[in-house]
């Protein structure tokens, strides 16, 4: 089990590790299946959520899967697992995982387990954001052999591109206001689209992040 001490930045603006990168074991040395089996289902995570609880509950209550994405996900053959590194204090986690949970519930061949940033640190370090941060949520798609075949890091790509372009121009309140407005307009669609696309690519023999 990964038990390295972790300093986690819990402000509302970012859900990233603080400080310089810390050397960790390589992908090949980490048993993703063991990490996955150490994780808990979303329902248990939601029950235990304390920080940002109302945000988690609100997004889960209003969440659904657009019919076109549901049909695409159900058409992907095989068995797939989402190993998710998340913290209840992270606003990006609270605005993505509740929607993914609805997808998982609706697709027979897809399952998901969640681990903390302490346990899943190596996964975060292996899959950093474009600007070099280890952040939550980090989701890795595993195939039936528990091999990594795709990843989703922190935010949907459209929102991540916007954040990288505009973060330095905005104060914290302005950044959060615009970020949350984007999430409220999107209602999880971009997150779900990226997850389904990862499944389709892996099933077609083209895995990757």
């Amino acid at each position: 089990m990964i038990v390295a001490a972790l300093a986690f930045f819990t402000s509302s603006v970012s859900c990233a590790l603080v400080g310089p990168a810390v050397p960790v074991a390589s992908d090949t040395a980490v048993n993703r299946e063991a990490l996955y089996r150490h994780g808990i289902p979303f329902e248990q995570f939601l029950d235990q959520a304390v920080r940002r609880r109302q945000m988690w509950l609100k997004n889960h209550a209003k969440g659904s899967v657009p019919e076109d994405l549901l049909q695409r996900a159900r058409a992907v053959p095989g068995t797939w697992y989402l190993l998710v590194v998340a913290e209840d204090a992270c606003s990006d986690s609270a605005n993505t995982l509740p929607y993914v949970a609805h997808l998982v519930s609706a697709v027979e061949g897809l399952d998901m387990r969640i681990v903390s940033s302490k346990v899943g640190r190596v996964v975060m370090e292996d899959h950093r954001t474009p600007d070099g941060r280890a952040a939550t949520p980090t989701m890795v798609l595993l195939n039936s052999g528990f091999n990594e075949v795709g990843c989703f890091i922190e935010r949907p790509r459209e929102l991540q591109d916007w954040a990288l372009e505009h973060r330095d121009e905005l104060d914290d309140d302005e950044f959060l206001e615009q970020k949350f407005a984007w999430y409220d307009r999107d209602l999880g669609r971009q997150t779900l689209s990226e997850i389904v696309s990862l499944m389709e690519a892996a099933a077609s023999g083209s895995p990757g992040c």
Side-chain angles (χ1 to χ4, degrees):
M1 183 185 300
I2 301 168
V3 293
L6 179 65
F8 195 78
F9 181 55
T10 56
S11 88
S12 56
V13 177
S14 176
C15 305
L17 293 174
V18 187
V22 176
V24 292
S26 67
D27 245 3
T28 56
V30 177
N31 189 324
R32 294 309 199 236
E33 181 177 1
L35 283 175
Y36 183 86
R37 298 194 184 284
H38 181 86
I40 60 176
F42 175 81
E43 292 76 11
Q44 184 178 346
F45 181 91
L46 185 62
D47 285 344
Q48 296 174 357
V50 176
R51 300 285 297 276
R52 300 192 177 279
R53 181 167 182 80
Q54 292 309 310
M55 183 180 289
W56 283 98
L57 293 174
K58 179 193 73 172
N59 288 332
H60 189 247
K62 69 182 182 183
S64 63
V65 183
E67 185 62 29
D68 60 321
L69 294 178
L70 181 58
Q71 291 180 7
R72 285 172 54 191
R74 286 176 170 170
V76 177
T79 300
W80 308 94
Y81 305 98
L82 280 170
L83 169 61
V84 179
V85 185
E87 294 289 341
D88 63 347
C90 176
S91 62
D92 290 300
S93 295
N95 279 285
T96 53
L97 294 188
Y99 299 100
V100 176
H102 284 287
L103 179 69
V104 170
S105 295
V107 177
E108 185 175 350
L110 180 63
D111 200 6
M112 176 170 71
R113 292 292 182 272
I114 302 171
V115 298
S116 71
S117 57
K118 174 186 264 189
V119 173
R121 178 175 184 174
V122 66
V123 179
M124 298 167 65
E125 295 281 6
D126 285 345
H127 301 289
R128 286 178 167 259
T129 63
D131 55 339
R133 294 172 295 110
T136 58
T138 296
M139 311 185 210
V140 291
L141 181 67
L142 310 174
N143 62 16
S144 59
F146 292 92
N147 300 303
E148 285 191 18
V149 290
C151 66
F152 174 104
I153 305 168
E154 190 180 34
R155 302 170 181 138
R157 194 165 293 111
E158 179 182 315
L159 180 59
Q160 189 72 292
D161 289 345
W162 171 84
L164 292 171
E165 181 178 355
H166 297 289
R167 179 64 190 95
D168 291 340
E169 304 169 2
L170 304 171
D171 63 31
D172 288 355
D173 289 342
E174 291 172 323
F175 178 80
L176 286 174
E177 181 180 356
Q178 294 189 40
K179 183 179 81 165
F180 291 150
W182 189 97
Y183 275 128
D184 287 341
R185 290 191 303 270
D186 184 66
L187 293 174
R189 181 176 180 89
Q190 293 300 317
T191 297
L192 296 178
S193 178
E194 290 185 23
I195 296 298
V196 172
S197 293
L198 289 175
M199 294 171 62
E200 291 172 333
S204 70
S206 302
C209 292

